[in-house]
Amino acid sequence: MKGFLLIISLTLLSSITFGQVVYEDINNSAIYEFLDELANLKIITLNSAVKPYSRKFIAEKLRQAQKACNLSNLPTYQNTNLPTYQLTNLPAYQLTTRQKKELLFYLQDFQLERNGADTVAVGERQDQLAEGYKYKLELLSRKQQSMALALNPLGLHYRDRLFTFSLRPILGLQYMVNENGSAFHRWWGGSIFGYIGSNFGFYANLRDNNESVPLAKPEYFTEAQGGVYKYRDDGGVDYSEMRGGIVGSVNWGSLGIMLDRVAWGENYHGANIFSGKAPAFPYIQLHLNPVKWFDFNYIHGWLNSNVIDSGRSYYTNGEYREVFRNKFMAANMFTFIPWKGLNLSIGNSIIYSDSDLNPLYFIPFLFFNAADAIKNNYSNNAGSNSQLFFNISSRQIRRLHLYISFFIDEWKSSRLLKPDYNNFTSLKAGFSFSDLFHKNISVTAEYTRTQPMTYLHYIPSTTFASNDYSLGNYLRENSQEIYFMVSWRPLRGLLLSASWTNAMHGDDVPYNYNAGYMVDMIPFIKNKTWQNNSFEFSSRYEFVNNGYFFLQFTNGNRKGDVGFQPEFMHGQTNTLSTGINVGF
């Protein structure tokens, strides 16, 4: 407890000298996809192996693209002080009309992150709003130049020289139907974020969810994010999601305490380092970017083990009080950029439990496995569960993104020469080609192979999981996937895509060295316990920032254990899914 209070104190003290950072939900896929497209076109540079991005980072990348393409948003004043955005005819790089409109559309959402220099650039007084919104609907008095209630972005927004604040609604509905039945998922809530001066950033996001049947249990093979379910008598589930954080930063780094999801590893269809599928967990994050050729990320998280500590559990007033075993994680990622567009990353993580917070794992730059081995006298039973990972991302050829993500749980070089032996690893490799054959068309292909035992551990409290959800790839261990997608963006905000997924999973075998199992000799997918071969056609239209309609048709053939997906998705099905989402 004292260690936790010390951490909070250090973070709050850091906000005295640090600046503004607020993180954008990784579910806001549209803005992440657009930044990826700009990076593939070599208009901006991007370390896309670590998410989420901060809103300030996104705003800076959008402004870099605006400048690189000679795309102007200088204000023209008519009857109000609010600027009207203009398109120039001679961009430095020839974006399509759709890409230009996309860029200005997202700039509109990230105007609260404009810096003080913009105040002088637009000729406004420095004691007023630094930059006005291009509101589609302004409901408050024009005399209140620092405040507006707007439709795009939807919400209440305020900014003056000291304080910035945005309050936004969250609501949505998804309905799915096929030959086996139907299901729905609905959600609602709200989010806030803001900045105080140039020293402090904060954000919070709360949404309540209702599902007619659980759609993302820990054992399900789905990219849908998991939740901590409360089961209803009718077979449905309710659950709440909470995200938030307080963060401070300078221009070369940031430090904060967050409750959020993290996604590490290049991917277009499920990361294999940290997938972001597990429910949000609290963590401390340190990000350093002191020079252009080096980027560093570190987190220390409090995970949920779901393993009852019988020694600390007790009866009180006739009721049994359950106490879970402590479970923590530390992870870092070093990214080196020797040439523009080439990112070489190496990192490691460790899951430790059955103890209080250990200051050893608060040293961000350690190779945790070596430190843990010394601490625990090289004893496997006393030690922790460590991992090593590599990530290579190349955008050196315009329009082409090549990447490899490699996760190692256990590795012995002697196994390489023995065909019947496996190292515990996960490999993801692929490419994405933007503007292929026709501008606004992209093609993506990806292969994932995860060996048996990779995300498991024989000590239940140190598995690579939180709330029983694997922190790694959504297919878990002993799995393989081939993924191919063609996407077309004919209009601003409209995405049309067609994809094919072939995924399979092998036997789940208990991880127990002491019961005679030769865990390094388990054959890769000897028996297919589950397989999915599906074609998907989807559309999404973002009508305002953070608000979109979606329609999706999936021809799927899921065979094997029915326990790996919702029952109504099992077998040969034609599933229609539609809905609306507002806010993140």
Side-chain angles (χ1 to χ4, degrees):
M1 184 64 182
K2 291 181 179 179
F4 181 65
L5 293 175
L6 176 61
I7 293 165
I8 293 179
S9 301
L10 291 174
T11 304
L12 293 178
L13 286 173
S14 71
S15 67
I16 297 174
T17 58
F18 282 27
Q20 304 171 342
V21 167
V22 163
Y23 285 92
E24 186 68 17
D25 193 341
I26 59 176
N27 289 311
N28 189 2
S29 57
I31 183 61
Y32 283 90
E33 291 166 0
F34 184 62
L35 291 180
D36 187 79
E37 181 181 11
L38 293 176
N40 290 355
L41 296 175
K42 301 187 72 171
I43 294 172
I44 64 172
T45 58
L46 196 65
N47 180 14
S48 51
V50 177
K51 298 180 180 73
Y53 305 150
S54 74
R55 286 184 59 87
K56 183 177 179 181
F57 174 83
I58 295 173
E60 289 173 351
K61 293 302 176 180
L62 293 175
R63 289 198 296 271
Q64 288 176 16
Q66 176 190 3
K67 182 178 179 180
C69 300
N70 195 24
L71 197 60
S72 175
N73 72 333
L74 295 179
T76 58
Y77 297 98
Q78 299 175 356
N79 298 325
T80 71
N81 288 329
L82 301 178
T84 301
Y85 292 104
Q86 304 292 324
L87 294 176
T88 59
N89 296 321
L90 297 173
Y93 177 77
Q94 188 61 50
L95 292 178
T96 66
T97 300
R98 189 274 306 174
Q99 290 166 337
K100 296 176 187 178
K101 292 181 178 179
E102 209 89 71
L103 177 56
L104 295 181
F105 176 79
Y106 290 119
L107 278 167
Q108 188 163 314
D109 183 24
F110 287 87
Q111 289 180 79
L112 286 176
E113 282 71 31
R114 304 295 262 180
N115 56 41
D118 295 320
T119 305
V120 180
V122 300
E124 293 182 335
R125 292 170 52 192
Q126 292 191 26
D127 59 348
Q128 296 178 349
L129 180 62
E131 181 159 345
Y133 285 85
K134 180 190 175 186
Y135 294 122
K136 290 188 175 180
L137 180 63
E138 183 187 22
L139 300 181
L140 300 185
S141 169
R142 289 180 181 174
K143 294 181 180 180
Q144 286 285 341
Q145 297 189 38
S146 295
M147 180 182 293
L149 185 62
L151 283 181
N152 189 23
L154 181 62
L156 175 66
H157 317 285
Y158 177 87
R159 178 174 175 178
D160 60 26
R161 293 187 64 190
L162 176 64
F163 184 59
T164 300
F165 178 81
S166 184
L167 170 64
R168 306 187 181 190
I170 294 174
L171 58 93
L173 172 67
Q174 180 183 18
Y175 178 76
M176 295 161 283
V177 61
N178 61 26
E179 298 89 338
N180 295 335
S182 62
F184 69 82
H185 176 201
R186 60 192 178 203
W187 58 94
W188 58 87
S191 67
I192 63 170
F193 70 86
Y195 312 101
I196 300 176
S198 59
N199 302 319
F200 183 76
F202 62 91
Y203 69 105
N205 175 304
L206 175 64
R207 67 180 69 195
D208 282 328
N209 296 264
N210 308 112
E211 296 177 356
S212 58
V213 296
L215 299 173
K217 289 182 178 179
E219 62 268 26
Y220 285 177
F221 292 135
T222 172
E223 284 193 279
Q225 292 178 334
V228 182
Y229 293 140
K230 180 180 180 181
Y231 287 85
R232 305 194 304 261
D233 293 338
D234 62 0
V237 293
D238 302 322
Y239 62 101
S240 296
E241 294 178 280
M242 187 76 219
R243 299 172 43 253
I246 53 174
V247 192
S249 72
V250 290
N251 60 0
W252 46 264
S254 64
L255 175 66
I257 300 177
M258 267 85 74
L259 172 64
D260 215 327
R261 304 176 193 257
V262 295
W264 287 14
E266 297 285 357
N267 77 96
Y268 291 88
H269 198 245
N272 68 332
I273 300 177
F274 296 128
S275 65
K277 179 179 171 62
F281 56 86
Y283 61 91
I284 295 170
Q285 175 170 290
L286 173 67
H287 173 230
L288 301 176
N289 184 213
V291 290
K292 291 183 178 180
W293 53 266
F294 177 68
D295 192 67
F296 176 78
N297 287 274
Y298 161 84
I299 62 173
H300 184 284
W302 284 252
L303 306 181
N304 189 326
S305 70
N306 273 358
V307 177
I308 295 177
D309 187 340
S310 58
R312 296 171 59 203
S313 300
Y314 56 92
Y315 282 94
T316 177
N317 296 325
E319 297 292 334
Y320 187 64
R321 170 68 170 176
E322 294 181 343
V323 180
F324 293 130
R325 291 187 179 275
N326 293 333
K327 185 174 184 178
F328 310 101
M329 177 183 70
N332 58 31
M333 179 83 88
F334 300 80
T335 299
F336 300 92
I337 310 169
W339 297 283
K340 186 176 181 179
L342 178 62
N343 291 6
L344 307 176
S345 301
I346 181 173
N348 77 117
S349 60
I350 192 163
I351 310 290
Y352 70 101
S353 66
D354 304 321
S355 65
D356 292 327
L357 291 171
N358 193 323
L360 176 68
Y361 306 115
F362 285 97
I363 304 174
F365 312 103
L366 293 184
F367 181 62
F368 298 115
N369 181 53
D372 182 74
I374 297 172
K375 169 181 171 290
N376 292 291
N377 295 320
Y378 293 93
S379 170
N380 284 333
N381 291 332
S384 304
N385 180 18
S386 59
Q387 301 80 34
L388 179 68
F389 31 85
F390 304 89
N391 193 90
I392 301 175
S393 171
S394 172
R395 292 186 172 95
Q396 294 172 283
I397 301 173
R398 190 183 296 276
R399 301 186 295 168
L400 179 62
H401 181 201
L402 300 170
Y403 58 93
I404 295 176
S405 181
F406 192 49
F407 178 98
I408 301 173
D409 177 70
E410 183 176 302
W411 175 278
K412 293 182 179 179
S413 58
S414 60
R415 294 173 180 164
L416 296 176
L417 302 177
K418 300 176 181 179
D420 294 332
Y421 285 74
N422 294 316
N423 284 304
F424 305 163
T425 62
S426 177
L427 170 69
K428 180 178 285 287
F431 72 86
S432 179
F433 206 116
S434 300
D435 292 356
L436 182 63
F437 304 128
H438 185 280
K439 290 195 172 182
N440 299 325
I441 292 180
S442 298
V443 175
T444 300
E446 190 170 278
Y447 173 73
T448 307
R449 179 188 176 103
T450 305
Q451 297 293 117
M453 301 291 119
T454 298
Y455 297 121
L456 298 178
H457 199 264
Y458 65 96
I459 298 176
S461 60
T462 59
T463 56
F464 196 69
S466 183
N467 292 102
D468 293 330
Y469 287 88
S470 173
L471 296 172
N473 187 258
Y474 80 98
L475 290 172
R476 303 194 295 275
E477 56 285 328
N478 202 10
S479 298
Q480 176 180 272
E481 180 186 69
I482 302 172
Y483 176 75
F484 182 79
M485 181 182 67
V486 178
S487 62
W488 180 35
R489 292 176 167 84
L491 302 172
R492 199 285 313 152
L494 178 61
L495 170 65
L496 304 174
S497 65
S499 64
W500 170 63
T501 303
N502 185 284
M504 60 187 70
H505 178 74
D507 293 307
D508 288 318
V509 182
Y511 192 154
N512 192 339
Y513 278 113
N514 300 320
Y517 291 109
M518 299 297 292
V519 293
D520 54 357
M521 294 186 67
I522 298 172
F524 178 68
I525 314 186
K526 180 180 180 180
N527 300 309
K528 294 179 184 178
T529 58
W530 180 85
Q531 184 173 5
N532 172 32
N533 188 58
S534 64
F535 294 91
E536 181 176 290
F537 304 91
S538 64
S539 62
R540 182 189 70 207
Y541 178 67
E542 191 171 11
F543 55 94
V544 296
N545 276 286
N546 307 314
Y548 58 85
F549 301 105
F550 60 92
L551 178 65
Q552 177 180 298
F553 172 78
T554 304
N555 173 260
N557 187 9
R558 296 175 175 88
K559 301 178 181 179
D561 192 337
V562 70
F564 288 138
Q565 69 274 307
E567 189 169 352
F568 83 99
M569 298 296 292
H570 190 64
Q572 183 78 41
T573 58
N574 293 286
T575 304
L576 183 67
S577 174
T578 185
I580 184 174
N581 178 84
V582 176
F584 293 97

